[in-house]
């Protein structure tokens, strides 16, 4: 089970809307327990691509974020990005570039009237959705 705090959800939404029409991206941090992953903090990253269709994160920012996570006793659990014009599922490029088989790939779609947020694992060129629960 994957849990996301409501404040993280709000932050991802706000960042994604603010960066339209460009994709927004960032890292997910939290804790791992026996039966769940819990995302408690997000680290927004600059999208170096400045593109509405793909993203790449600044390595320096990633490095600094991971250092801060360690300091706070949090683990890097994965990343998120927005899809301004496409559904909440990994694109062919997202699948091709996925480097971490254990990581969570969260995608927020702003395509429809209501935003849609989904989480995935991407392994061996295929993805599977993970049940996501928003908690207070
Ligand atoms: Zn994507």
């Amino acid at each position: 089970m994957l849990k996301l705090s409501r404040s993280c959800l709000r932050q991802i939404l706000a960042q994604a809307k603010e960066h339209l029409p460009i994709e927004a991206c960032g890292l997910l941090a939290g804790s791992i327990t026996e039966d769940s992953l819990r995302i408690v903090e997000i680290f927004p990253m600059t999208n170096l691509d400045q593109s509405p269709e793909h993203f790449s994160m600044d390595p320096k920012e990633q490095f600094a974020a991971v250092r801060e996570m360690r300091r706070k006793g949090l683990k890097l659990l994965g990343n998120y990005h927005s899809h301004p014009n496409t559904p909440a599922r990994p694109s062919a490029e997202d699948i091709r570039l996925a480097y971490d088989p254990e990581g969570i790939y969260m995608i927020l779609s702003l395509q429809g009237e209501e935003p849609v947020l989904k989480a995935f694992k991407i392994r061996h060129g295929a993805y599977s959705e993970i049940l996501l629960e928003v908690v207070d």
Side-chain angles (χ1 to χ4, degrees), residues 23 53-55 81-83 86 89-91 94 107:
E23 285 195 6
E53 280 156 10
H54 46 91
F55 73 100
H81 69 283
S82 64
H83 280 178
T86 52
R89 60 168 178 263
S91 67
D94 291 336
I107 298 177

Side-chain angles (χ1 to χ4, degrees), residues 35-107:
D35 57 350
S36 76
L37 294 178
R38 194 178 179 110
I39 296 160
V40 297
E41 193 166 333
I42 61 152
F43 290 77
M45 296 282 124
T46 303
N47 180 358
L48 292 180
D49 293 345
Q50 290 291 299
S51 162
E53 280 156 10
H54 46 91
F55 73 100
S56 51
M57 293 188 262
D58 183 334
K60 273 190 213 146
E61 287 180 11
Q62 290 186 68
F63 201 72
V66 169
R67 219 167 28 215
E68 199 181 330
M69 286 175 205
R70 277 203 206 112
R71 202 166 46 80
K72 290 178 166 173
L74 300 173
K75 287 201 163 70
L76 174 63
L77 299 180
N79 63 54
Y80 66 90
H81 69 283
S82 64
H83 280 178
N85 307 306
T86 52
R89 60 168 178 263
S91 67
E93 187 178 69
D94 291 336
I95 294 168
R96 190 168 57 78
L97 297 178
Y99 54 90
D100 181 4
E102 299 307 317
I104 291 159
Y105 292 83
M106 212 174 261
I107 298 177

